[in-house]
Amino acid sequence: MSLNELWFLLIAVLFVGFFFLEGFDFGVGMETQILAKNDTERRILINSIGPFWDANEVWLITGAGAMFAAFPHWYATLFSGFYIPFVFALLALIARGVAFEFRGKRDSKAWQKTWDVCIFFGSFLPPFLLAVVFASFIKGLPIDKDMQMYAGFFDIVNAYTVVAGITVVLLCLVHGLMFTTLRTLGDLQERARKLAQKLLIPLAALLVAFVVMTYTMTDIFDKRGTLLWIVVVLGAAAYLLAGYFMTKKKDGYAFGMTGAVMALSVASIFIGLFPRVMISSLDQAFNLTITNAASGQYSLKVMTIVALTLLPFVLGYQIWSYFIFHKRVHEKEHLEY
Amino acid sequence: MDTVLLSRIQFASTTIFHYFFVPVSIGLALIIAIMETMYVRKGNEEYKRMAQFWGKLFLINFAVGVVTGILQEFQFGMNWSDYSRFVGDVFGAPLAIEALLAFFLESTFIGIWIFGWDKVSKRIHLLSIWLVAFGTMLSAFWILLANSFMQHPVGFQISNGRAEMNDIFALITNGQLLVEFPHTVLAAYATGAFLVTGISAYKLLKKQDVAFFRKSFEIAAIVGVISSFGVAVAGHAQAQYLVETQPMKMAASEALWGESGDPAPWTVFANIDVKNQTNSNEVQVPYLLSFLSYSKFSGDVKGMLELQKEYEAAYGPGDYIPPVKTTFWSFRIMVAAGTLMMLFGVYAIYLMWRKKMDRPNTWFMRFMFWGLLLPPIANTAGWIMTEIGRQPWTVFGLMTTEDSVSPNITSGQVLFSVISFTAIYAILGAVLVGLFVKVIKKGPYAMDNEHGESHDPYNKEG
């Protein structure tokens, strides 16, 4: 494997990790408006992701940073090309991040409601917008010969990308609900599981629609047919198992399976892209690839050594922190937020 | 307005805002780590309460610092995509390493610190805050490495029409970094320290929780005095490096149009006439500029007019003189604020040494309270001097600001983002100050009831 391929893989892994991890805390953020019946439940939900959400978000920061370092043209074309969507995503992430810290700091209903709105939109908008961006990756975008992207509104917002956006938001919600079944007790846990089961049918419809649209509207099944069909079959299996485990109340396994559906969905985008990183809808020759968008070999080598040295530690202490906070959150204990 | 100007406004305002919080996080993390260390070693609950009280302010501040930092990473690509293309090879790597090495560490262990008071052992809990403190410092190191490259590019070659890294060790040992890092980090420690002494001084004036705040004051004052002197020493080294590597910035920060003469005097005040490229009403201290530049009382410093000719010869025609007034005055504001910090710090230590802290002068404590503003003023002025003084370059000698901007964004888009980010930042700033005041007013002994069962008005609903 060349270093360019390795870095493409690492960036894919970072984004898969991001959607798997922050996926559930986005879901929990949405649950505060959908599932929680009162303020105590809302606080339990927020506290259940309290120790994790910040580190989960760093997966996105690191993914973008790795893009910048390994494929500067990808980073430059992407972020300048999707200027307005990223402004909204950033505003949402900013509001959400401080809302967790701020909402409990004053005993005022209006105050808490304001920040609760921020938590909801902050948890709903970023996965929606990022999914729109990722879907348009494989659909292709107006990128010219200088690697500059000049996208109009409908290049970014169209039936395909919107379906992708809604699918990922719903997937985050179901994934978050399963996380809630793991970290709460009693009535809240019960309701989370039931709601997740209810959402499985619409989610299935969306996933099927997304696969069909991808098949007809993009070239990725032509390019990576076999591998993608394997992913689709694995995704379907994970999805069915998720439903099965939910009915058997095996929450841990069900959480793993909703996460697997998420991971496979994100992975399929990267599989379809490879070896391209941005597809030009104007001319195949203008595509950005892992070769023409990449940093020099020296830079990639340095980054590889750094990443491979650090990753075991990073993964180690993150897993350890999940172990520390594996106990369920309930209203009898100290709630920080 | 064009996209370059708007993007510059956005970058400047979001960076300055972000940098109100970063030094506070770095400084407070260290002070809290020291307090918690004393708790673990001495077993005195009062120190634990200190770590928790100041920790509360730390967390509010940290949250704003983190969220405003996300934007910093994205806007290189959003607004400065041609810059990102040109230097991504060199500049992206430290950013990625910063995330991998520092952000994961901070975010994971801050989670353990906040939620782990009764879930991990005392020592692990203490280790967590030290790792957070260490992480914030690592973060500073890598981001300053990236910034140092912009001030003094090393470890690269130009190939394929862009800067490509060819020596990571040259980047790590960049002379600019070796003076910029200690200067900036020590300034951050001073920022945290003066925040704690300032708030403590306020509470001591009000005679509230006197023992608690006197102890806090003393711990922070020691950190403050050591770091503010360290800042000055590192700053002196930085000035000498500046003369060698960015003489135009040095000349602009002195408003030095022609030759300085030998020995060179330091201008305290001048009425700068940019149009006619002269100054009037100069007040000067003899020998001082020579000393600042070379650590000896002789040697002349080149002026802007001569440097302009040299730069034109080297880089082609153009205006290479940065905004002189801004550079000149921001430097003086920084130095003045830094000098006051050293004086305040020394006097505070004198009070502690003479055991007069139980009845300190009211006027001095008032000064100390307002003194919490000195580090942010100095930090901001210092960065303005560094970044404005580098203009018209983004990467000195390699790429201009004009060439760095994204060609595919419209001024309407940037205007929209400038307005939205300014609005949300203004709200964040106001909320943060409000929450700080609230926490400080409540004091360290009010925390026990908070979030407690009996206190939760919505508890009965469920």
Side-chain angles (χ1 to χ4, degrees):
Chain A
M1 190 169 17
S2 73
L3 288 178
N4 299 52
E5 288 166 342
L6 175 71
W7 273 92
F8 183 81
L9 181 70
L10 276 175
I11 289 166
V13 168
L14 284 166
F15 280 101
V16 168
F18 165 72
F19 276 99
F20 183 100
L21 293 168
E22 184 122 301
F24 73 70
D25 73 55
F26 281 144
V28 173
M30 291 184 248
E31 284 169 44
T32 54
Q33 293 300 311
I34 295 167
L35 188 72
K37 277 186 180 163
N38 53 46
D39 194 65
T40 311
E41 289 194 350
R42 215 160 284 142
R43 288 180 60 197
I44 290 173
L45 287 174
I46 296 170
N47 277 274
S48 77
I49 54 169
F52 311 123
W53 73 267
D54 193 2
N56 292 348
E57 203 155 293
V58 175
W59 284 74
L60 174 69
I61 313 276
T62 311
M67 247 180 198
F68 198 172
F71 302 103
H73 289 295
W74 189 6
Y75 171 80
T77 306
L78 165 67
F79 282 92
S80 62
F82 286 101
Y83 194 87
I84 294 294
F86 277 118
V87 172
F88 281 110
L90 283 165
L91 291 171
L93 287 174
I94 290 171
R96 169 183 142 104
V98 293
F100 289 133
E101 182 61 38
F102 287 176
R103 86 176 287 285
K105 294 283 183 287
R106 274 186 61 187
D107 271 339
S108 142
K109 236 177 186 171
W111 173 265
Q112 282 154 1
K113 272 211 177 112
T114 309
W115 295 112
D116 284 342
V117 171
C118 290
I119 290 175
F120 178 75
F121 282 100
S123 304
F124 159 81
L125 270 181
F128 179 80
L129 291 167
L130 288 171
V132 165
V133 169
F134 273 73
S136 45
F137 272 12
I138 52 173
K139 192 166 174 292
L141 290 151
I143 296 167
D144 70 10
K145 62 177 188 343
D146 298 321
M147 297 183 170
Q148 302 293 355
M149 170 180 154
Y150 292 90
F153 183 78
F154 293 106
D155 290 316
I156 296 171
V157 182
N158 49 57
Y160 180 65
T161 58
V162 170
V163 168
I166 298 170
T167 310
V168 169
V169 166
L170 203 59
L171 202 46
C172 286
L173 181 57
V174 174
H175 191 39
L177 287 165
M178 290 325 294
F179 183 77
T180 302
T181 63
L182 288 174
R183 289 218 72 204
T184 59
L185 288 163
D187 185 41
L188 189 61
Q189 182 196 23
E190 204 61 41
R191 271 187 286 133
R193 196 185 297 117
K194 278 204 182 115
L195 182 59
Q197 279 173 309
K198 248 190 240 169
L199 291 173
L200 278 178
I201 304 288
L203 181 60
L206 280 163
L207 282 165
V208 169
F210 182 67
V211 173
V212 171
M213 286 172 107
T214 306
Y215 186 80
T216 53
M217 296 170 82
T218 76
D219 67 354
I220 71 169
F221 276 92
D222 303 334
K223 303 244 173 195
R224 304 256 165 259
T226 332
L227 195 52
L228 279 176
W229 282 120
I230 294 172
V231 171
V232 171
V233 170
L234 283 177
Y239 172 87
L240 291 172
L241 281 171
Y244 172 76
F245 288 131
M246 280 179 206
T247 49
K248 292 281 168 199
K249 299 199 177 182
K250 290 195 184 290
D251 299 327
Y253 290 111
F255 173 72
M257 287 303 123
T258 53
V261 175
M262 176 73 89
L264 289 164
S265 309
V266 179
S268 68
I269 303 267
F270 283 91
I271 293 169
L273 268 181
F274 184 82
R276 306 161 295 182
V277 293
M278 295 280 273
I279 298 172
S280 171
S281 55
L282 306 178
D283 190 330
Q284 290 286 318
F286 303 159
N287 286 349
L288 274 68
T289 68
I290 62 164
T291 325
N292 69 10
S295 283
Q297 288 301 304
Y298 179 85
S299 211
L300 291 177
K301 210 181 291 171
V302 168
M303 289 294 300
T304 306
I305 294 166
V306 173
L308 295 183
T309 316
L310 292 176
L311 270 178
F313 293 100
V314 172
L315 291 174
Y317 62 67
Q318 286 204 20
I319 292 167
W320 182 58
S321 94
Y322 279 88
F323 176 75
I324 292 173
F325 301 105
H326 69 281
K327 287 214 181 99
R328 291 170 195 272
V329 183
H330 53 87
E331 70 277 10
K332 297 268 185 314
E333 71 175 325
H334 169 81
L335 295 177
E336 178 67 27
Y337 291 149
Chain B
M1 281 199 272
D2 63 347
T3 51
V4 180
L5 182 61
L6 283 167
S7 292
R8 284 183 68 182
I9 291 172
Q10 179 173 309
F11 198 86
S13 57
T14 56
T15 307
I16 288 172
F17 189 79
H18 176 59
Y19 205 71
F20 286 142
F21 307 101
V22 173
V24 174
S25 287
I26 297 175
L28 275 184
L30 176 78
I31 291 166
I32 293 165
I34 292 171
M35 287 167 172
E36 196 170 335
T37 305
M38 291 171 89
Y39 162 63
V40 171
R41 291 193 57 164
K42 297 190 174 176
N44 184 346
E45 289 284 325
E46 189 80 344
Y47 286 114
K48 181 181 179 184
R49 194 177 289 275
M50 272 183 206
Q52 287 181 328
F53 175 76
W54 297 107
K56 216 160 203 189
L57 298 180
F58 170 72
L59 291 176
I60 295 168
N61 176 78
F62 189 78
V64 180
V66 167
V67 296
T68 52
I70 308 175
L71 169 62
Q72 294 305 102
E73 189 200 25
F74 284 22
Q75 76 177 327
F76 288 114
M78 289 165 70
N79 296 74
W80 307 100
S81 68
D82 273 5
Y83 167 79
S84 303
R85 288 177 205 281
F86 183 68
V87 295
D89 199 300
V90 196
F91 192 84
L95 260 63
I97 296 172
E98 186 191 13
L100 207 55
L101 193 63
F103 292 163
F104 273 129
L105 196 71
E106 287 170 42
S107 58
T108 308
F109 284 94
I110 196 79
I112 294 174
W113 191 78
I114 301 170
F115 291 89
W117 283 101
D118 5 275
K119 293 211 166 54
V120 294
S121 73
K122 268 189 197 177
R123 280 174 188 281
I124 296 288
H125 198 266
L126 177 64
L127 178 69
S128 304
I129 190 68
W130 275 109
L131 285 175
V132 171
F134 181 60
T136 58
M137 213 180 67
L138 279 178
S139 173
F141 179 84
W142 289 98
I143 198 69
L144 292 176
L145 185 148
N147 181 268
S148 295
F149 174 80
M150 297 167 82
Q151 313 290 346
H152 182 223
V154 292
F156 73 100
Q157 73 210 17
I158 299 288
S159 56
N160 307 318
R162 59 191 191 142
E164 291 193 347
M165 196 198 293
N166 64 12
D167 188 356
I168 179 79
F169 295 104
L171 283 159
I172 293 172
T173 57
N174 189 347
Q176 174 70 27
L177 177 65
L178 300 183
V179 289
E180 193 173 315
F181 176 68
H183 186 65
T184 315
V185 165
L186 287 165
Y189 290 152
T191 310
F194 276 86
L195 185 70
V196 172
T197 54
I199 294 167
S200 300
Y202 174 81
K203 294 298 256 189
L204 291 172
L205 281 168
K206 295 254 166 193
K207 300 201 174 14
Q208 290 166 350
D209 305 319
V210 174
F212 179 95
F213 284 106
R214 192 188 302 148
K215 197 78 221 158
S216 299
F217 184 97
E218 290 180 350
I219 294 170
I222 292 168
V223 175
V225 79
I226 295 172
S227 48
S228 53
F229 273 90
V231 175
V233 173
H236 179 53
Q238 203 172 352
Q240 295 179 60
Y241 198 77
L242 196 61
V243 181
E244 277 174 47
T245 55
Q246 295 182 74
M248 183 66 95
K249 188 193 286 180
M250 187 65 182
S253 74
E254 293 308 320
L256 190 64
W257 298 99
E259 285 292 304
S260 66
D262 184 4
W266 190 70
T267 308
V268 184
F269 173 89
N271 197 2
I272 302 163
D273 183 351
V274 176
K275 208 169 154 201
N276 297 314
Q277 304 188 319
T278 52
N279 302 333
S280 51
N281 305 328
E282 286 180 324
V283 179
Q284 294 183 319
V285 182
Y287 297 105
L288 192 54
L289 182 56
S290 288
F291 179 74
L292 280 177
S293 312
Y294 309 110
S295 284
K296 55 179 187 181
F297 293 101
S298 63
D300 63 342
V301 177
K302 271 186 195 166
M304 284 180 279
L305 298 175
E306 193 191 340
L307 287 164
Q308 166 71 22
K309 279 182 203 142
E310 284 179 21
Y311 282 28
E312 273 183 16
Y315 308 114
D319 182 7
Y320 296 98
I321 296 177
V324 179
K325 282 186 185 170
T326 315
T327 315
F328 179 87
W329 286 113
S330 54
F331 183 50
R332 268 138 201 83
I333 291 168
M334 176 182 78
V335 170
T339 308
L340 281 175
M341 281 154 64
M342 286 192 280
L343 293 175
F344 284 10
V346 168
Y347 193 74
I349 299 293
Y350 165 79
L351 288 180
M352 284 157 60
W353 178 57
R354 296 295 302 269
K355 310 239 182 287
K356 284 183 175 169
M357 267 302 288
D358 49 343
R359 265 204 285 143
N361 301 322
T362 318
W363 64 265
F364 178 64
M365 290 320 244
R366 270 197 205 120
F367 272 135
M368 284 308 284
F369 167 64
W370 288 108
L372 69 83
L373 293 175
L374 290 172
I377 291 169
N379 294 337
T380 307
W383 274 116
I384 288 175
M385 178 210 164
T386 306
E387 304 298 292
I388 291 279
R390 195 186 56 233
Q391 298 304 322
W393 302 106
T394 31
V395 186
F396 185 81
L398 286 182
M399 188 181 217
T400 61
T401 311
E402 200 116 308
D403 291 334
S404 302
V405 82
S406 305
N408 55 337
I409 55 174
T410 64
S411 54
Q413 288 174 328
V414 190
L415 191 63
F416 171 71
S417 64
V418 170
I419 293 169
S420 4
F421 289 133
T422 309
I424 197 169
Y425 278 19
I427 295 168
L428 288 189
V431 169
L432 177 124
V433 171
L435 287 178
F436 259 51
V437 170
K438 188 166 181 288
V439 171
I440 294 162
K441 273 200 178 145
K442 271 192 171 176
Y445 298 99
M447 292 190 294
D448 301 343
N449 297 324
E450 261 173 52
H451 299 320
E453 274 315 283
S454 55
H455 209 67
D456 191 339
Y458 309 108
N459 206 21
K460 283 174 192 130
E461 286 177 44

